[in-house]
Amino acid sequence: MRPSNLADDTPLRRQYLNLKRQHPDTILFFRLGDFYETFDEDAKLVARELQITLTSRPMARGERVPMAGVPHHAVEHYLARLMAKGYRVAMAEQLGEPGSKMMEREVLRVLTPGTVVEPGLLEATHNTYLLALVSADGRYGLAYIDASTGQFAATELGDAAALVRELHRVGPAECLVLGEQLEALAPLLGDVPLSTADAWMFEPGGCRDTLLRQLEAASLEAFGLGDLPLATRAAGGVLHYLGHTRHLAGEKLPISELRTYRAEGFLTLDQYSRRNLEILRTTTGEVKGSLLSVVDATCTPMGGRLLRQWLAAPLLDLAELEARQEHVAAFVDNGLMGGEVADLLRRMPDLERLAARCTQGLASPRDLVALAASLELLPAVRTALAAAPERLAQLAAALRDFPEVVGLVRGALRDEPPATLTDGGVIRPGFSPELDGLLAGASDAKAGIAGLEVTERERTGIRNLRVGYNRVFGYYIEVSNGNLAQVPADYQRKQTLAGGERFVTPRLKEYESIVLTAEERRVALETEMFERLRAEVAGWAPTMRNVAQALAYVDVVRGLAHVAVTRHYCRPTLDLGDALDVVEGRHPVIELALPPGVFVPNDCHLRNDGCQMMLLTGPNMAGKSTYLRQVALIVLLAQIGSFVPAASAHVGLVDRVFTRVGAQDDLASGQSTFMVEMVETSLILQSSTPRSLIILDEVGRGTSTFDGLAIAQAVVEYIHNHPACGAKTLFATHYHELTALEAELPRVHNFRMDVLEEKGQVVFLRKVVPGGADRSYGIYVAKLAGAPRSVIRRAEELLATLEAASPGAPNGHARHPAHQLALFSPAESFRDELEDLDLQNMTPLQALNALQGLQLRYGRAR
Ligand code: ADP
Ligand code: MG
């Protein structure tokens, strides 16, 4: 950085540096005419991140500073990209009239990824959460807000693992922590953009006061915060920070409610399981191909957001789940009603965010008209719901009317008002006598001006005399050069043109002043009336928000019903027992990726005291992973209240779902190390309960065969034998040796993916059948994958050699109890040596020699 010599700086530069000093941790967008400019390091960063040109500008004597700017009309697009990358932007706006010597500038808002409410910066079906976190004595207080909808929730968590799970459930866009706790908390927060709070923001007394004021309450007990001091601080902190970034322009926060909750009230899912099961997005980060993508038939943005919330937090509450099921069922049984409601909902704008925009004072005239239009649809929605009067009565009742709001908006605003207030024309004629009088006066004056052309032509005898208007000189009478002699004495010259002269008369000036003042006054009056209207509508915002949520709920259950009907899902029986029974279950995503009818359904029956663990073997590509995941997804769907892809299902509610995938199956995560796999697995073993469902897919694969096998076996034994665990488990493995465990562990049952072997060909039947596979068919899959014939042939020879080299494998197949495995180290070292051969860099002769060496050392005695 150059040393800043204030004396040399231009006044503009001084103003910039001053603002930048007040917002050091942001990119400062400095409004200069039609552009927002950035300077110095900000400019370099912005140029790089947004791929825009880096220029420079003289800002001090003999000195140019780097500059990069974006046009103000396209600024949201650029801001959205910076927010997505986790940056913070301070917007310095011009105040006062343009044209005066030096514009005043002030930062009116600071945009951060978690506090944006501008429609262009939000995704319709995503919540944008700002989350605050405080820790003390190993406990954590957490609160989050969606400032665009007013959703506000807080909780406390007793340990770091629970905190990390909760962070992954909420998925905040930005996380706020105290500066002094940053270092301790940052490792838990992953790659969420972090902001540091000033100490005062989390100060307990201030937090209480701010919460009480914002919630207009006398005590925090009513919100469940009574004995949650850390949650109270987090909730206060999040409000303070939001106010700090958004209050600058005097904006009100659209928050009138706070929900405290317990994370244990939801089905526990850690981040690995969320990722493995591809609930909201696939392992590669896309929505397409996720569970969400196949069950999302919502028609409104608020419905889309609610469905995400449901899928992120499956329930444990039987009564609530049955209520949801009943609502879904009502739509399943009334297809016509579903269609009708969907048609109405498709016409609904984002009522929840519109209501919040009223409170924030950001709603435009068009926003208010859209709001009224959607409120007008409510009676029709209610009427449609009356097709299932008993089951949906409660929902219909929640959709109350807002005749007052509709009346206010329709009475005051035109049906299709302009987007902004600046040009007038927003207020409906007949609404304000004052405005109407003003406009009538103006229109009389305009008529008078128009009439002047005729009367003045008559008076002066100038046939081509013309009355006109231009922005700089206002109204004028134009006379061509040839007729100047006839111009009367009361004409005052105003402007000389090439072909003539322009004049005004006292009369014309009088009219003009009426027209111009009327226009100015009109905009002022309309703005005033509009703002009053918006404030009045804002009074209903909390109630409208409740209705928006009821609509979201209707949208979600209707969408789930639509999915259930079109894809033949069934209503699962739910209870608090320990059974998990799925008859003809399907994988909701994979079945759609295949042609209709191709997916092969499979059953699953698990009990704590019966078949507690299915040990599933079978060749690669047989469908093991698909089967495991489909069972987990069916449980998740059942526990959001949805129907499930099966002929019938019985789900004893599950408290946790764990999934772990062997390292090699998990390449997409980029951290496919054996270590990660083991960390994840030990976490399961420590935290599962008899009510949990564990999905283990090829665990132990990330290490050499015998280690992996030993670990896999130990895990199976632990789950089976440990009294605190005892979870229902699906275990897919290519270690067919593990099937021997069935004989020793009574609640472990062998299953395999059935295949048909015909003349060296393997046909996958995709059917789960009792019994264990005796080999893995890896070579066959290599053949399928197009490996050269010679490689396949050679591999077959080698396999035969290997199997023959294993003592106790008389018929060439390893059929030994798993605990004898340690005896087979010769085969292991053979395999290692074989794998270590660098075939790419060997001559054929070297390869032949190496082979011979192997044969000598490991081959049968000849
Ligand atoms: P594995 O885990 O045994 O290697 P996967 O579960 O990955 O096998 O399945 C491989 C492929 O087989 C899937 O991508 C899918 O196309 C197909 N598949 C799996 N299960 C079924 C099924 N039940 N019906 C039809 N096709 C299936
Ligand atoms: Mg697999």
Side-chain angles (χ1 to χ4, degrees), residues 624-625 665 697-698:
K624 299 184 297 299
S625 301
D665 254 13
D697 194 355
E698 310 275 18

Side-chain angles (χ1 to χ4, degrees), residues 530-560:
F530 177 76
E531 281 172 359
R532 206 175 324 124
L533 171 71
R534 185 167 61 192
E536 213 167 330
V537 171
W540 273 275
T543 343
M544 289 194 284
R545 177 157 190 266
N546 291 340
V547 168
Q549 284 173 336
L551 281 172
Y553 185 102
V554 169
D555 194 13
V556 170
V557 293
R558 184 211 53 79
L560 290 176

Side-chain angles (χ1 to χ4, degrees), residues 590 594 598-602 618-627 629-630 665 697-698 732 753 765-767:
I590 307 245
L594 299 173
V598 168
F599 192 90
V600 179
N602 274 304
N620 268 328
M621 288 299 288
K624 299 184 297 299
S625 301
T626 306
Y627 175 74
R629 283 178 176 76
Q630 93 189 19
D665 254 13
D697 194 355
E698 310 275 18
M753 297 303 300
L765 299 177
R766 316 280 189 214
K767 205 69 191 167

